[in-house]
Amino acid sequence: MAHTPVNHPLRPLYRALGLLAGAYLVVFAIVGFIQTSGESFTGDNGERVLGQGSNLLWSILSLILGAIVLGASVIGRNLDVEADKYVGWTLLVIGSYELATNRTDANFFGFTMSTVVVTYLVGLVLITAGLYSKVAAPSKAGAPRQVREGRTA
């Protein structure tokens, strides 16, 4: 039995948070694509998008990741759980890479420190949404923890 909650009472809230995180990535990508369309594809070009550093490569990648999260959230059926977890971990890896290479020539995505922080936050929101929005049939979900431990709620 997995240790992640199934049919959590706040599941709609977590699904909404995942949907909002995906929508933020898409809006950021569209605005970033518009603002950085004439700039270089990679590297730090000094462009600020919604208060964060960006370039065309990061805008395109954000659009792809946001579209995956939005599409999976609309489809549901626990597909959003997997998409939120994998996209969230991907954002944490990208944020860690950019934190390590922030002021070097290896800053391919044009991140600033504020972009790293926002990338971490969006990634953590998606991971949390993925952990708490799983749905299962009541017969397969198992008893709540209080019942399993012999306590009353």
Side-chain angles (χ1 to χ4, degrees), residues 14 19 25 37 52 58 68 83 104 117 119 127 136 144-146:
Y14 289 113
L19 188 70
L25 286 173
S37 61
Q52 305 168 46
W58 178 237
I68 290 171
T104 66
V117 170
T119 303
I127 291 170
R145 188 186 78 220
Q146 292 87 358

Side-chain angles (χ1 to χ4, degrees), residues 100-114:
T101 62
N102 200 355
R103 294 185 180 175
T104 66
D105 291 335
N107 187 359
F108 295 119
F109 298 121
F111 273 34
T112 58
M113 195 61 208
S114 60

Side-chain angles (χ1 to χ4, degrees), residues 82-141:
E82 297 301 318
D84 288 348
K85 283 193 288 190
Y86 287 119
V87 171
W89 283 109
T90 301
L91 287 173
L92 289 185
V93 168
I94 290 171
S96 297
Y97 169 77
E98 287 297 330
L99 180 63
T101 62
N102 200 355
R103 294 185 180 175
T104 66
D105 291 335
N107 187 359
F108 295 119
F109 298 121
F111 273 34
T112 58
M113 195 61 208
S114 60
T115 315
V116 171
V117 170
V118 170
T119 303
Y120 276 152
L121 288 176
V122 171
L124 289 174
V125 165
L126 286 173
I127 291 170
T128 304
L131 288 174
Y132 289 102
S133 57
K134 190 168 188 172
V135 179
S139 61
K140 295 186 180 194

Side-chain angles (χ1 to χ4, degrees), residues 6-124:
V6 178
N7 297 338
H8 194 274
L10 295 176
R11 182 179 63 247
L13 173 69
Y14 289 113
R15 287 194 69 199
L17 284 175
L19 188 70
L20 284 174
Y24 174 78
L25 286 173
V26 169
V27 168
F28 174 79
I30 291 171
V31 173
F33 189 77
I34 291 169
Q35 286 186 354
T36 62
S37 61
E39 303 293 328
S40 65
F41 187 69
T42 61
D44 188 11
N45 56 16
E47 280 292 324
R48 304 284 280 181
V49 178
L50 301 178
Q52 305 168 46
S54 183
N55 59 21
L56 199 55
L57 177 63
W58 178 237
S59 297
I60 292 170
L61 188 60
S62 294
L63 182 65
I64 292 168
L65 293 175
I68 290 171
V69 170
L70 284 179
S73 294
V74 168
I75 293 171
R77 294 188 217 138
N78 289 335
L79 184 62
D80 58 338
V81 172
E82 297 301 318
D84 288 348
K85 283 193 288 190
Y86 287 119
V87 171
W89 283 109
T90 301
L91 287 173
L92 289 185
V93 168
I94 290 171
S96 297
Y97 169 77
E98 287 297 330
L99 180 63
T101 62
N102 200 355
R103 294 185 180 175
T104 66
D105 291 335
N107 187 359
F108 295 119
F109 298 121
F111 273 34
T112 58
M113 195 61 208
S114 60
T115 315
V116 171
V117 170
V118 170
T119 303
Y120 276 152
L121 288 176
V122 171
L124 289 174

